[in-house]
Amino acid sequence: MLLAAPMPAAGQMVVGATAFGPVFNQPRPASRDTLLLLATRARRVGISTFVQTSSARGFLSLGRRQQLRYRLGSDWIYDSRGEPPFVREDYGADLAHIYALDQANHWQLGQQVHYDQSRANATRTGLWLGRLGYQRRLRPAHASDSLSQLRLTVLGGLATDARNGFHDTGFAYGLDAAAMLFANGPAAAPLIVRVLGTRAALGPRTVQRLVAEAVGEQAFLEQAPLTVQGRLGYRSNRAEDYLRGSVQRIQSDTLAAQASASYRITPYASLRSDNSLLLPTRAFNYRRLSAPADTLQDLGYRQREIDTRQELRLSRPRLQSSISFSYRERSRSYYLENSRFLSPVRFNAALSREQVKDITEQTTLWQGDLTWLPTARHVLALLGTAQLLRVDAPSRDNQQTRDEAQHLLRLTWTGRWAGAFRTSLAVAGEYRQTVFIRAGLSSENYADHLLHWEPGFVWAPGKLSIRSGYHLWVSYQVRDRPSEQARNRASRVLEQTQSISYQLRPRLLLLADYARRENRVGQLQWQQFRESPLDTSVTHDLTAGLRQTWNGRRGGSSLRLGYRLLEQRNYGRAALLTDAPTGPLSQLIYLHNITRQHGPELAVERHANAGFNLVASVWLQWLRTFSTYAPGRGAYTGSSYTPADLDRETKRILPYFELSAEWRLGRR
């Protein structure tokens, strides 16, 4: 509920923020003048769904010491089929007034008004804060250090919150203290210490936040090979809301520590270590507002996260390599408080139900890469990874205990040839295995074999430019149990992209892009290495057009006219229901479902150094969905259709559009 400003310069940390970004800081210098910025974005994302976001922000200078800032915004998701039609309708506003009490701008007096409304959740929040701030340089004797500073801010005001049929009002107050010290010069990372505490008492509810952070970096001696970075932080959040006649308190506390070090062994070798520890806890506590309200059980969990990464890197003029080891562990344990005064037997039963969710995850990763330049025009890169994920659930009722292993080896070659011709080729092999330890899910154990083939080239001789890329990967998923072999699957995915451009005139460009994706899924007989096709889907996306550009002193503009075709085809087997008095009631057919979208496309762009910027496009598409089929032999058990169903088709005209506009008013 309470908002505090982030620190400036390289050590900025955003702690308190509204839905539309952090709140305002100190007055902006006149050299960074912007009076008003209007921005809007809108697009159609479906047949009946639209998205719109707009905002306005700026300031008014009321003298050398006084400034007024404002920010307005809205965020909509609209679906015309809904009742009401809006899916989400959010509004937000900020207004801040800052006054410098002295010529040196050490003391500041200000106030801020914040408003948020979400119609989908039927919530409204409002806040008025008065603030008294003090800031000063920490090293005034050093003329080169103008960034080290100390800042203190005291906040106080009123907050309102309306939700779930309740309207609460209460006092809000807080303290923000921050210091930033560039002890090793402005080019090195600073030492940052910050403490932020806020609290709002809203009737029977309380919302509060406490954040304490310290960040620093130190190089030992001048030109020393060892550099150490550290970070220590604590964050506490308490949020309360109404739930089933009670007030639910969500208490979240997190202690974080991070230590990193880099050591330069030789001019060509370096060692780096990154280590972090995270200790989050969360508690859900309830207190009844009335006697007939439900008595909810207090519960929570404790978590521990350990993350470490050790990396050795070698760098030579024609050879670069690195090897790294990473380990991450996350463990979570749930607990209950006997807030309902249950008997020991019932409490132990409830505790056991919660402890079913206890889990520990351990991830070990080895990764190595090697890049070799045999000549100035050719590059060979080799990448290898080995990862093991171990999931342990102590409770016997939790079947998620499993091991997941993954191995990957990838070789990439890139070459440059005469005539602005470049080629690339990547080959990769991957093996994945998942093993569930307990018998309940042992039927899901499988091994996945994957192969990747990725050729491509770029040819740009003068006015002509051709880019082509392919990616074919094959997956063979094999179940471990002999009784589950019918669930073995083989899939092949082919993606290809072609892009051609030709410069007809200095500012007129001919463009053509084509993308194709084909996905084939079949039933695999691993022993005989044979497969039977099940489903196939093919997508074609073709765009062709002309692009004209204009450049001037104030900016540039472009206009693109073209035509786009998007077609999706799904191939599969189905049953055709017949009404013949004799014979089978259904017949096997090979069904093709086709969705075709095509039409002209127009795009306009305007980019200015100052003033109005616009990016807009519209695709007037004719949409048609229909089906075709070919008869097969025998019967089929599965999806079935009547001839009338397969003869039905849909035709519509839909304009798909996208708009992004910015208008900057004022001097710069």
Side-chain angles (χ1 to χ4, degrees):
M1 291 299 302
L2 292 181
L3 313 170
M7 295 187 65
Q12 176 174 324
M13 295 183 298
V14 178
V15 179
T18 70
F20 298 95
V23 301
F24 300 111
N25 195 4
Q26 59 186 356
R28 181 177 302 183
S31 60
R32 299 172 57 191
D33 203 354
T34 298
L35 183 62
L36 175 62
L37 176 63
L38 300 174
T40 181
R41 290 171 177 81
R43 63 190 178 100
R44 186 175 195 160
V45 296
I47 294 178
S48 60
T49 307
F50 304 85
V51 175
Q52 186 269 346
T53 302
S54 61
S55 63
R57 64 184 65 189
F59 73 92
L60 294 175
S61 180
L62 305 177
R64 299 184 59 182
R65 298 187 184 181
Q66 196 170 184
Q67 195 173 102
L68 185 68
R69 296 191 179 187
Y70 55 89
R71 178 180 302 172
L72 308 173
S74 66
D75 191 0
W76 297 349
I77 297 181
Y78 181 84
D79 191 337
S80 60
R81 299 172 300 179
E83 289 294 338
F86 274 100
V87 177
R88 188 177 70 188
E89 190 177 359
D90 297 340
Y91 301 92
D94 277 301
L95 178 65
H97 174 240
I98 303 175
Y99 179 75
L101 297 178
D102 58 337
Q103 188 69 27
N105 198 24
H106 290 318
W107 291 91
Q108 295 178 9
L109 185 66
Q111 59 181 334
Q112 177 176 346
V113 178
H114 170 72
Y115 176 78
D116 251 335
Q117 180 181 7
S118 176
R119 291 196 175 183
N121 299 326
T123 61
R124 294 192 314 274
T125 60
L127 177 67
W128 172 82
L129 276 181
R131 53 181 294 173
L132 176 63
Y134 173 76
Q135 64 179 12
R136 59 164 297 170
R137 291 178 57 183
L138 288 179
R139 304 174 71 188
H142 294 73
S144 60
D145 186 2
S146 61
L147 299 177
S148 298
Q149 60 178 297
L150 170 69
R151 295 180 54 212
L152 300 172
T153 305
V154 179
L155 308 168
L158 294 174
T160 64
D161 188 296
R163 65 183 64 208
N164 299 327
F166 296 88
H167 190 283
D168 300 325
T169 303
F171 290 101
Y173 51 91
L175 172 66
D176 185 8
M180 182 166 54
L181 178 63
F182 288 82
N184 299 320
L191 172 64
I192 301 173
V193 179
R194 184 173 195 184
V195 177
L196 168 68
T198 62
R199 182 182 176 93
L202 299 169
R205 300 182 297 130
T206 301
V207 180
Q208 67 183 27
R209 171 183 298 173
L210 174 63
V211 177
E213 292 179 304
V215 184
E217 176 180 317
Q218 180 63 45
F220 291 91
L221 303 179
E222 188 175 356
Q223 303 297 329
L226 179 62
T227 302
V228 177
Q229 303 94 21
R231 186 185 191 102
L232 184 64
Y234 173 75
R235 184 182 298 264
S236 176
N237 288 287
R238 172 181 171 184
E240 295 186 346
D241 203 352
Y242 298 102
L243 179 65
R244 295 165 55 182
S246 301
V247 174
Q248 179 192 52
R249 176 192 298 180
I250 303 177
Q251 180 69 43
S252 177
D253 300 282
T254 302
L255 178 64
Q258 181 180 356
S260 303
S262 58
Y263 181 73
R264 190 172 64 253
I265 304 174
T266 68
Y268 306 104
S270 62
L271 180 65
R272 181 170 180 83
S273 175
D274 294 307
N275 311 276
S276 64
L277 173 64
L278 202 63
L279 300 175
T281 63
R282 180 164 293 186
F284 300 85
N285 300 322
Y286 304 89
R287 63 178 185 272
R288 291 188 294 175
L289 293 176
S290 59
D294 292 341
T295 303
L296 301 175
Q297 188 76 50
D298 293 347
L299 57 93
Y301 65 80
R302 302 179 182 90
Q303 187 167 303
R304 183 187 63 186
E305 297 182 23
I306 301 174
D307 198 345
T308 179
R309 175 183 171 86
Q310 320 300 323
E311 181 184 35
L312 175 63
R313 183 172 293 273
L314 304 175
S315 178
R316 301 289 294 181
R318 291 184 176 272
L319 186 66
Q320 296 181 359
S321 65
S322 68
I323 183 171
S324 64
F325 167 77
S326 301
Y327 175 78
R328 185 175 188 273
E329 179 180 331
R330 184 180 74 93
S331 61
R332 176 181 292 187
S333 59
Y334 289 81
Y335 66 89
L336 278 182
E337 299 288 347
N338 195 5
S339 59
R340 300 177 63 183
F341 304 104
L342 302 176
S343 64
V345 176
R346 295 184 60 189
F347 176 74
N348 291 332
L351 179 60
S352 300
R353 287 193 298 268
E354 288 296 325
Q355 291 179 341
V356 169
K357 298 181 291 185
D358 291 359
I359 199 167
T360 299
E361 297 178 355
Q362 297 175 330
T363 304
T364 304
L365 173 64
W366 286 93
Q367 181 172 328
D369 64 83
L370 176 67
T371 303
W372 177 43
L373 284 74
T375 65
R377 291 178 171 267
H378 299 274
V379 179
L380 283 173
L382 181 65
L383 172 67
T385 63
Q387 177 177 293
L388 175 63
L389 169 64
R390 313 201 76 169
V391 180
D392 182 23
S395 175
R396 290 289 180 180
D397 296 328
N398 192 332
Q399 303 294 326
Q400 294 300 317
T401 301
R402 66 187 185 276
D403 290 346
E404 297 182 12
Q406 179 186 12
H407 305 273
L408 171 67
L409 187 63
R410 179 185 178 89
L411 178 64
T412 305
W413 166 71
T414 305
R416 292 185 298 143
W417 311 88
F421 188 65
R422 298 184 181 184
T423 58
S424 62
L425 177 63
V427 181
E430 190 174 356
Y431 177 78
R432 304 174 184 172
Q433 186 178 14
T434 300
V435 178
F436 287 89
I437 307 303
R438 299 204 171 104
L441 290 177
S442 60
S443 60
E444 302 296 328
N445 296 349
Y446 69 91
D448 205 356
H449 313 260
L450 296 97
L451 299 175
H452 298 260
W453 174 263
E454 303 175 40
F457 71 89
V458 177
W459 186 37
K463 297 182 178 181
L464 178 66
S465 175
I466 302 176
R467 296 176 179 269
S468 180
Y470 299 85
H471 186 188
L472 170 66
W473 69 87
V474 184
S475 171
Y476 300 103
Q477 189 178 101
V478 183
R479 301 284 170 170
D480 290 356
R481 280 189 179 183
S483 59
E484 300 292 330
Q485 296 303 299
R487 300 173 59 190
N488 293 346
R489 291 294 181 266
S491 68
R492 291 179 176 84
V493 179
L494 172 62
E495 289 184 349
Q496 64 180 93
T497 57
Q498 316 288 339
S499 179
I500 302 175
S501 64
Y502 184 76
Q503 197 78 40
L504 296 174
R505 295 177 183 176
R507 300 188 185 279
L508 182 60
L509 189 65
L510 174 64
L511 299 169
D513 297 293
Y514 173 70
R516 182 178 184 272
R517 178 184 173 91
E518 181 177 346
N519 188 2
R520 296 177 178 266
V521 179
Q523 185 177 3
L524 176 64
Q525 299 178 14
W526 179 248
Q527 298 298 332
Q528 295 80 15
F529 202 70
R530 295 188 308 175
E531 61 180 281
S532 302
L534 295 177
D535 296 300
T536 301
S537 62
V538 182
T539 302
H540 303 272
D541 191 352
L542 174 63
T543 304
L546 294 169
R547 185 169 182 257
Q548 176 71 43
T549 60
W550 297 271
N551 292 326
R553 292 189 306 171
R554 297 184 177 181
S557 304
S558 68
L559 174 65
R560 182 166 58 88
L561 294 172
Y563 198 86
R564 183 181 180 187
L565 168 66
L566 178 62
E567 184 179 87
Q568 298 174 322
R569 291 176 172 261
N570 294 320
Y571 303 88
R573 292 180 293 177
L576 178 64
L577 301 179
T578 62
D579 54 359
T582 59
L585 297 179
S586 63
Q587 180 186 2
L588 171 66
I589 59 172
Y590 299 98
L591 182 62
H592 301 168
N593 294 319
I594 303 172
T595 301
R596 185 174 296 159
Q597 302 162 269
H598 65 97
E601 191 175 25
L602 172 66
V604 179
E605 293 187 19
R606 168 63 180 172
H607 298 284
N609 301 327
F612 186 71
N613 293 331
L614 174 67
V615 177
S617 65
V618 59
W619 178 26
L620 183 61
Q621 68 165 243
W622 280 265
L623 171 64
R624 183 191 176 197
T625 59
F626 61 98
S627 302
T628 63
Y629 63 93
R633 294 183 179 180
Y636 178 77
T637 302
S639 302
S640 57
Y641 303 90
T642 64
D645 295 334
L646 300 180
D647 291 339
R648 189 179 298 115
E649 66 177 57
T650 302
K651 293 183 178 180
R652 297 187 64 177
I653 299 179
L654 296 173
Y656 274 77
F657 66 91
E658 187 167 352
L659 172 67
S660 176
E662 291 185 357
W663 192 12
R664 189 184 300 271
L665 302 176
R667 56 193 183 276
R668 292 184 59 83

